[in-house]
Amino acid sequence: MKLRKVTAAASVALALAVTATACGGDDKDSDNAGSGGGKITIGIKIDQPGIGQKTPDGKYKGFDVDVATYVAKALGYDAGDIEWKEAKSADRETMLQRGDVDFIAASYSINEEREAKVDFAGPYLLAHQDVLIRANDNSIKDPKDLNSKKLCSVTGSTSAQNVKDKLAPKAQLQEYGGYSECLTGVENKAIDALTTDDSILAGYAAQAEFKGKFKLAGFKMTNENYGIGVKKGSDLKAKINKALEKMVSDGSWEKAVTANFGPANYKNEPAPKIGNIVK
């Protein structure tokens, strides 16, 4: 009986030793990323076609998704190791500070206020505020042409107000609950133009159901430097920057741009250099 007990105990000890060895041999990135058993948690938008979208079948797609997937692979994670989490604009800094996610790629523009709270790798895309109009509308060729036009953006956004304050003071602001509602308004001629980042607008216009219906005006009213947010002081910043540089050099970045924005004839800026923030 004693022999059987000792043997059982030895077997358990051996199993634990093997498990510990296997865990110790994990070659994934060790800078706190994916600390939950070989997984990495990434914050993205899930409601922005072309940028970050959760499809009805539960999959994720978009430019930010492609960038995040590439970066995760460079850090040692397969696509199946990624746990996607919605990162709403107002929650992004808090999510990073609390450690809810390892990094965030969610049309996350770098600015001084945010840099005081989190660190940014990148930028990996230079976007601009623009307007989306009907493809056959030739009446809006300059931001000033938005005067007396019905200009839409989502509730709480500063995009439309920026246009009214700086470029077209007589624009008639319309706030809807979501970009898709604004888009429907433009399509039905209840709205003349929708404004936000050109990358987001291109993502919507690139959807199959909207093919040929809309166009970007190409106004480039602001510079939006998209970065990947990480927790303040994280070593991941340098590792992600290295991955982004490789993504550009091996052609994967351009491929992702074409796949997600190409159908909208989006005239994207060249890939920005790491640390080069365009004011």
Side-chain angles (χ1 to χ4, degrees), residues 13-30:
L14 178 60
L16 290 173
V18 171
T19 301
T21 302
C23 292
D26 193 340
D27 62 355
K28 296 187 186 303
D29 185 80
S30 60

Side-chain angles (χ1 to χ4, degrees), residues 7-272:
T7 302
S11 298
V12 172
L14 178 60
L16 290 173
V18 171
T19 301
T21 302
C23 292
D26 193 340
D27 62 355
K28 296 187 186 303
D29 185 80
S30 60
D31 185 39
N32 297 323
S35 56
K39 295 288 186 180
I40 186 167
T41 305
I42 303 174
I44 56 168
K45 291 296 180 71
I46 65 170
D47 57 355
Q48 291 182 348
I51 297 288
Q53 182 184 26
K54 184 177 182 179
T55 60
D57 60 0
K59 296 181 180 179
Y60 297 89
K61 65 178 184 178
F63 181 69
D64 282 353
V65 175
D66 289 346
V67 170
T69 301
Y70 187 99
V71 168
K73 185 176 181 180
L75 294 174
Y77 296 88
D78 295 327
D81 297 326
I82 299 173
E83 294 180 348
W84 301 106
K85 182 171 288 191
E86 181 180 11
K88 294 182 178 180
S89 295
D91 300 334
R92 291 177 294 200
E93 287 83 42
T94 301
M95 291 175 71
L96 288 168
Q97 292 168 340
R98 285 192 314 222
D100 296 343
V101 293
D102 294 301
F103 67 80
I104 290 178
S107 54
Y108 203 0
S109 296
I110 302 171
N111 61 38
E112 291 182 0
E113 181 181 354
R114 291 168 179 165
E115 285 185 302
K117 301 175 182 177
V118 301
D119 285 341
F120 285 97
Y124 63 92
L125 182 72
L126 176 59
H128 307 281
Q129 186 183 342
D130 200 355
V131 296
L132 191 73
I133 57 180
R134 289 181 291 278
N136 60 358
D137 186 349
N138 296 314
S139 67
I140 301 176
K141 298 179 180 179
D142 184 274
K144 293 179 181 179
D145 294 333
L146 294 168
N147 279 306
S148 301
K149 298 286 188 179
K150 293 179 180 178
L151 180 66
C152 186
S153 195
V154 298
T155 303
S157 170
T158 59
S159 298
Q161 191 64 49
N162 285 341
V163 174
K164 186 174 177 66
D165 289 346
K166 301 175 183 178
L167 300 168
K170 295 182 180 180
Q172 301 174 32
L173 301 189
Q174 306 285 324
E175 289 189 326
Y176 285 12
Y179 291 119
S180 59
E181 295 173 47
C182 286
L183 203 63
T184 300
V186 176
E187 183 178 13
N188 297 335
K189 299 185 179 181
I191 297 294
D192 296 304
L194 160 61
T195 185
T196 188
D197 295 356
D198 54 6
S199 57
I200 297 173
L201 296 175
Y204 275 99
Q207 301 306 292
E209 63 268 35
F210 299 133
K211 187 176 181 180
K213 293 183 178 181
F214 304 104
K215 64 183 179 182
L216 277 76
F219 292 157
K220 298 185 178 181
M221 295 179 281
T222 64
N223 294 320
E224 306 295 338
N225 299 270
Y226 286 5
I228 293 181
V230 298
K231 192 172 184 178
K232 200 74 175 174
S234 174
D235 291 341
L236 274 179
K237 176 179 176 178
K239 296 174 183 179
I240 293 174
N241 278 337
K242 185 176 180 180
L244 292 174
E245 289 175 339
K246 183 179 179 183
M247 187 177 187
V248 173
S249 65
D250 69 13
S252 298
W253 184 89
E254 189 65 40
K255 183 178 179 181
V257 168
T258 301
N260 292 289
F261 304 130
N265 295 317
Y266 176 51
K267 296 178 176 59
N268 63 282
E269 299 281 3

